[in-house]
Amino acid sequence: MRKLKGFSFLLLCLVMVLTACGGGKSPANATPTPTPTPVVEETTPTPEPEETYDLGGRVIKIAAWYDQTPLGETQSDINRLEKIAAVEEKYKVKIEFVVVPFEEMVANFTNSVLSGEPFADIVQLEYKAALPLIMQGLIQPISEFTDSASNINNEGNLLTKYSPIAGDYYGFDNPSSIGAGMHYNRAIFEQLGLPDPKELYANGEWTWDKFLELAKLATKDTNNDGKNDVFGFAGWSLDVYKHFAVSNGVNIADDVNLVEGLSSAGSIETGEFLNQLYNVDKVVKVSTGDPMDWNESNTFKDGDVAMFTVAEWNLGGLTFDFGIVPIPKGPSQTTDYTYANTAASGKFIGKGVKDSKLVYQIFEETFDVPMLEDYPGQDYLEGKYGFEDDVDMLRNHIAGTGLITLDDAFPEFPTWAFVNDIIVNKVSAAAAAETYKGQAEAAIKKLGN
């Protein structure tokens, strides 16, 4: 039965009522006049014609230090490849994914943009590499072709604006549910009967003091040979400082206001805490003999460390179960940031890219595919973490709470020297801050100019 539209239905009802009310006035032998049934024609909305483009076979190059080409091994990849093909046909373009060695990316980008011929239309860059380029006017902001919402593709949520830098939006890429936190060896916690960090966090007790208390309890000589064989903590000291500084409300190098935070009260407090960990209570395992050595990022893999800070990509092949909570909250924490995002990267569009808004639109449309995961990055995240509570912790309490830390973007910014003086040379944090404050200010001023 066709659905009657409102006005026709009311008219029919009125006719039926009048007929019923006037029935006694009709002749007995009169033949009733049939009431015509209104016919409602069903119409199909005419779709607005899709705008067509013809870029004449232009090659749209998207460069990164890894191959971004979908492999076609999963349904998600197949859908993306099909969408790329459809977008190429729609715009009469060819999309090419270019691989450039990491150490060559910035030079290639800079030289080609300065020459007026960007080697790629969209380029993957670390934020700390992008900041100087932005200040030189070599990267275009994307705020002029996107709305105020952080999600670009609201249906699939597969492409998003990234955090602002230098006061505007420049970067974009796939959304992520990962982030840095405090990992812990579940076996050691169970063996030593230590309280679960997740319960401490849930109860609002996950602080520097509680972390230090657990680290001291976990640092033990369990076989009575006169040497500790279990340790409370491990990590690369430079990263350790940055994570704890952010969890204590410190912005080491403010890229918007161009202010150094190395000598701030919160930073000095962080330096004092590191001295407590490394030199006073000695709860940190240093396997290389040098806490400033990046290889200390791998010390936790020995399986004799209770807690450690490490990126999720470095968790493969472990022989023990582990969990994660946010970096513990510092005494001077005044923000919602919980960790230092020191390796943030995203995609950027260089100055001189022709039809940059259209290039952005083309790239965006290649992500307009069905969302097969429950959330972006589900397969990757669940491949790294074996416990549901860790995935929940990452997604709902850690992801999105990283402060993009850009001290490395400022040439000669003395973070390394500051940390080395405190941990290795055992200089007081206040004295180290006084020593390097001028150098930090000069580094920021130099890039700012």
Side-chain angles (χ1 to χ4, degrees):
M1 180 183 293
R2 291 189 178 116
K3 185 177 181 181
L4 300 174
K5 290 189 177 180
F7 177 78
S8 300
F9 180 75
L10 289 174
L11 178 61
L12 177 60
C13 291
L14 180 59
V15 170
M16 293 174 66
V17 169
L18 292 174
T19 302
C21 292
K25 298 179 182 178
S26 301
N29 59 353
T31 301
T33 303
T35 304
T37 302
V39 176
V40 179
E41 295 293 337
E42 291 186 343
T43 58
T44 302
T46 303
E48 293 186 10
E50 185 175 23
E51 190 172 358
T52 59
Y53 304 86
D54 187 349
L55 299 187
R58 174 180 169 181
V59 178
I60 304 295
K61 294 184 178 181
I62 304 163
W65 48 83
Y66 54 92
D67 191 355
Q68 305 168 84
T69 309
L71 297 177
E73 296 176 350
T74 66
Q75 188 59 51
S76 293
D77 276 359
I78 293 171
N79 291 342
R80 179 99 194 285
L81 287 170
E82 291 175 349
K83 188 64 180 183
I84 289 172
V87 169
E88 289 177 329
E89 175 61 27
K90 174 181 176 181
Y91 290 92
K92 303 299 186 290
V93 298
K94 176 64 178 175
I95 295 173
E96 181 180 332
F97 295 105
V98 181
V99 178
V100 178
F102 176 82
E103 62 275 9
E104 297 176 13
M105 183 66 78
V106 173
N108 284 3
F109 176 85
T110 304
N111 294 335
S112 64
V113 171
L114 287 174
S115 72
E117 297 182 359
F119 84 95
D121 300 276
I122 296 174
V123 176
Q124 189 86 19
L125 294 169
E126 286 192 309
Y127 260 58
K128 55 194 174 189
L131 180 60
L133 301 171
I134 289 170
M135 290 185 166
Q136 295 174 58
L138 302 184
I139 295 179
Q140 300 183 48
I142 63 167
S143 49
E144 60 187 75
F145 7 108
T146 56
D147 57 27
S148 59
S150 60
N151 291 331
I152 296 171
N153 183 343
N154 291 318
E155 179 182 352
N157 195 21
L158 296 177
L159 191 67
T160 185
K161 285 182 187 178
Y162 270 19
S163 298
I165 179 173
D168 205 344
Y169 288 94
Y170 292 87
F172 54 97
D173 213 332
N174 310 105
S176 172
S177 294
I178 61 174
M182 184 65 67
H183 290 86
Y184 60 97
N185 186 316
R186 290 176 182 260
I188 290 178
F189 269 74
E190 291 174 4
Q191 291 166 6
L192 299 181
L194 301 176
D196 188 338
K198 284 189 175 65
E199 292 182 8
L200 296 172
Y201 174 74
N203 294 332
E205 301 173 26
W206 188 231
T207 63
W208 282 8
D209 287 343
K210 183 59 69 173
F211 164 80
L212 179 57
E213 177 186 325
L214 294 181
K216 289 164 70 174
L217 289 171
T219 303
K220 288 183 174 296
D221 173 13
T222 61
N223 58 8
N224 298 315
D225 66 351
K227 297 179 181 179
N228 290 328
D229 49 82
V230 181
F231 298 84
F233 180 64
W236 179 34
S237 58
L238 195 60
D239 256 6
V240 173
Y241 162 74
K242 291 181 181 183
H243 288 317
F244 279 103
V246 168
S247 77
N248 201 35
V250 178
N251 189 349
I252 302 169
D254 187 334
D255 60 294
V256 176
N257 300 305
L258 298 178
V259 175
E260 66 86 20
L262 196 68
S263 65
S264 66
S267 176
I268 292 173
E269 194 170 32
T270 304
E272 292 171 345
F273 185 63
L274 262 62
N275 180 63
Q276 188 78 24
L277 294 174
Y278 281 85
N279 299 322
V280 178
D281 293 319
K282 299 180 180 179
V283 298
V284 184
K285 180 181 180 181
V286 181
S287 61
T288 66
D290 180 6
M292 303 300 294
D293 188 331
W294 179 87
N295 288 301
E296 289 303 321
S297 299
N298 294 315
T299 295
F300 76 97
K301 294 180 180 180
D302 295 339
D304 55 0
V305 174
M307 294 174 286
F308 49 95
T309 53
V310 65
E312 92 293 331
W313 56 262
N314 201 18
L315 292 170
L318 298 183
T319 58
F320 57 87
D321 290 333
F322 55 87
I324 188 172
V325 286
I327 304 293
K329 186 175 181 179
S332 298
Q333 173 65 289
T334 57
T335 71
D336 293 328
Y337 294 116
T338 68
Y339 70 94
N341 191 349
T342 59
S345 72
K347 291 182 169 59
F348 297 86
I349 299 177
K351 180 182 178 182
V353 170
K354 184 181 178 182
D355 300 321
S356 55
K357 183 175 181 178
L358 197 54
V359 166
Y360 180 88
Q361 180 177 317
I362 289 169
F363 184 68
E364 178 183 7
E365 286 189 22
T366 69
F367 287 93
D368 188 11
V369 294
M371 181 71 174
L372 301 182
E373 297 177 306
D374 292 335
Y375 56 88
Q378 178 183 8
D379 291 342
Y380 176 78
L381 196 60
E382 293 181 357
K384 293 294 182 183
Y385 292 89
F387 292 83
E388 186 177 346
D389 60 351
D390 294 321
V391 173
D392 176 74
M393 183 65 68
L394 274 158
R395 292 191 61 214
N396 299 311
H397 300 274
I398 295 177
T401 67
L403 175 65
I404 295 180
T405 308
L406 293 170
D407 53 306
D408 289 339
F410 298 91
E412 301 177 3
F413 196 93
T415 309
W416 189 94
F418 173 77
V419 175
N420 185 70
D421 261 13
I422 294 169
I423 295 178
V424 177
N425 299 331
K426 301 180 181 178
V427 174
S428 74
E434 186 63 29
T435 298
Y436 296 108
K437 178 179 180 179
Q439 185 177 339
E441 290 175 334
I444 286 186
K445 183 177 180 181
K446 183 178 180 179
L447 184 58
N449 289 338

